[in-house]
Amino acid sequence: MDFPTHHNGITVEWLTSILQERGVLNQTSVLSFTTEMLGPGKGMTGQLVRLSLVYSRPDAAGPRSLIAKFSAPNPQMRGPLHSMGFYEREMRFYEQIAPQSLLRTPRCYFSAVDPEEGLSLLLLEDLSYARNGSAVEDCSVADAELAVIGIASFHAQWWQHPLLDGQDWLEMRGFLAASQVQATFDLSWAPFLSIISDSLAEQIVPLSDDLHRHLGRISTYLYMDGPRTLIHNDYHAENLFFVGAGHDGSIAVVDWQVATLGRGVIDVARFLGGNLHPNARREHDLRLLRSYHKILLENGVSNYSFEQCWYEYRLAMLLPLGLIAMVMGLAARVTAGPDAMKGGPREVIVTRYCRAITDLKVSDLLMASVEERDVAHGPPICP
């Protein structure tokens, strides 16, 4: 293994060689550096470390800081994540997709994964000069617009793109695979209910029938059936960095460990449903979705009506709710205590999705679709 697998293994010589190979440093070297472990909530599937660099020449053009992203140090956590392709997927994204992407991502200076043990390292641009979003605090409508506009251009760029054909590393594995979602959700539901508050249970239990009956089929439709594009698949505010707002603003997107192929509205629903205050979402999501669809058409996407986009957006709102229940329920079966989630920040996010599903009348949509034909090909319904 010829790369550091822990921040203690990084040396000034190694950093100098990497930055010189990337053409960042010329006739200078890294003299010293300090490390800062990024705190709780950052890098949940691994470790994030900020490296602050000092160069042998004060006028050196190299980055003043970098982010080292390591895989999870605990083999019991790292093993399953590696088996599901988390580390390889992100490495390949930065190597193959990011250099061509219209959506800004942090520059990657180094990437490697040990195929046997899953130990990995990404050396990334530090985006701390920009404003990182919050999953718990309500996202502003202006930031939501930036998020929608940015991901729309990205989806249009990779819509049915031939470069994505045969890229096995993009396939979801394990319980995240569409074929496994329903069984995993059903197994996780009771443990999930045991760790949420009574008030949240009152909101989510009425949705359980739809989740038990349709989550698997909706997942298969939205992830496996065309038209598909490259999606981030974990598109929420904490994975976005904002510079400015409105027409002059821009975003950069991080954490591509679960990037895959699917319907683009998966990303849009995940963001608008989980990050906007319910009142703001009710007022603006239809307009924002129209902007999203317009950008798709302006960038060459065809044979994709707004009615279909709206229909799929409503279906997709069930996916993040099902995923949260799966992940938290699986964790509760192993480690979590009975009060692990009650009153915590995740309940805020789950509540937002529950309200979005109710507001969008997803249950009525599913009922109408089943009555007409299969849920995956139900009649588009648009206000």
Side-chain angles (χ1 to χ4, degrees), residues 93-374:
F93 173 85
Y94 280 112
E95 291 179 350
Q96 300 179 23
I97 303 296
Q100 306 179 55
S101 173
L102 297 177
L103 181 65
R104 185 176 175 190
T105 60
R107 179 175 179 180
C108 183
Y109 296 91
F110 178 83
S111 60
V113 177
D114 173 47
E116 298 299 324
E117 298 186 37
L119 294 165
S120 67
L121 171 61
L122 295 171
L123 196 62
L124 301 170
E125 175 188 3
D126 183 5
L127 299 174
S128 58
Y129 63 86
R131 175 171 47 87
N132 191 198
S134 169
V136 178
E137 296 179 7
D138 296 328
C139 177
S140 71
V141 174
D143 282 350
E145 289 180 320
L146 289 178
V148 169
I149 290 170
I151 204 65
S153 298
F154 180 80
H155 289 164
Q157 178 186 7
W158 297 104
W159 196 272
Q160 303 280 63
H161 200 293
L163 183 64
L164 303 177
D165 293 342
Q167 300 294 339
D168 294 343
W169 59 272
L170 281 171
E171 295 180 5
M172 301 307 297
R173 308 175 201 163
F175 72 86
L176 294 179
S179 61
Q180 300 298 315
V181 163
Q182 192 64 68
T184 306
F185 173 82
D186 293 343
L187 182 69
S188 307
W189 181 245
F192 173 70
L193 289 181
S194 72
I195 60 170
I196 64 176
S197 66
D198 292 340
S199 60
L200 181 57
E202 291 177 359
Q203 299 181 62
I204 197 171
V205 167
L207 307 175
S208 63
D209 185 58
D210 289 333
L211 289 165
H212 283 298
R213 293 178 61 197
H214 302 301
L215 184 61
R217 289 196 290 170
I218 290 172
S219 297
T220 298
Y221 169 57
L222 293 175
Y223 281 107
M224 305 306 295
D225 292 354
R228 297 196 298 171
T229 184
L230 184 59
I231 62 173
H232 182 276
N233 206 30
D234 194 21
Y235 198 63
H236 58 75
E238 289 190 355
N239 284 332
L240 273 64
F241 287 79
F242 297 89
V243 179
H247 295 296
D248 297 326
S250 62
I251 61 169
V253 184
V254 301
D255 199 349
W256 294 87
Q257 291 183 334
V258 290
T260 189
L261 300 181
R263 306 281 179 133
V265 290
I266 293 172
D267 284 340
V268 183
R270 190 178 301 267
F271 190 90
L272 297 183
N275 290 274
L276 280 176
H277 187 280
N279 291 339
R281 178 191 41 74
R282 293 183 193 107
E283 183 177 355
H284 295 284
D285 70 344
L286 183 59
R287 175 181 65 83
L288 291 172
L289 196 66
R290 289 192 183 278
S291 297
Y292 169 81
H293 183 257
K294 180 181 179 183
I295 292 171
L296 293 182
L297 298 186
E298 290 174 346
N299 286 274
V301 172
S302 59
N303 299 319
Y304 188 64
S305 68
F306 180 74
E307 288 74 20
Q308 183 177 0
C309 182
W310 175 252
Y311 170 72
E312 292 171 357
Y313 168 77
R314 294 168 68 190
L315 287 182
M317 202 61 74
L318 281 171
L319 296 182
L321 185 60
L323 178 63
I324 293 171
M326 287 163 53
V327 172
M328 296 305 299
L330 288 174
R333 287 171 58 89
V334 179
T335 59
D339 298 322
M341 188 173 166
K342 293 180 180 178
R346 290 188 183 89
E347 288 212 351
V348 176
I349 300 169
V350 174
T351 295
R352 290 180 188 145
Y353 285 123
C354 289
R355 291 180 179 176
I357 292 166
T358 300
D359 292 341
L360 293 167
K361 296 181 170 55
V362 176
S363 184
D364 292 347
L365 178 65
L366 291 169
M367 185 178 299
S369 298
V370 170
E371 289 176 354
E372 290 289 331
R373 42 184 175 161
D374 186 79

Side-chain angles (χ1 to χ4, degrees), residues 37-59:
M37 302 293 293
L38 298 187
K42 302 293 186 182
M44 295 299 291
T45 58
Q47 287 187 332
L48 295 179
V49 182
R50 176 175 288 114
L51 310 176
S52 298
L53 311 182
V54 176
Y55 296 99
S56 58
R57 288 175 47 186
D59 60 345

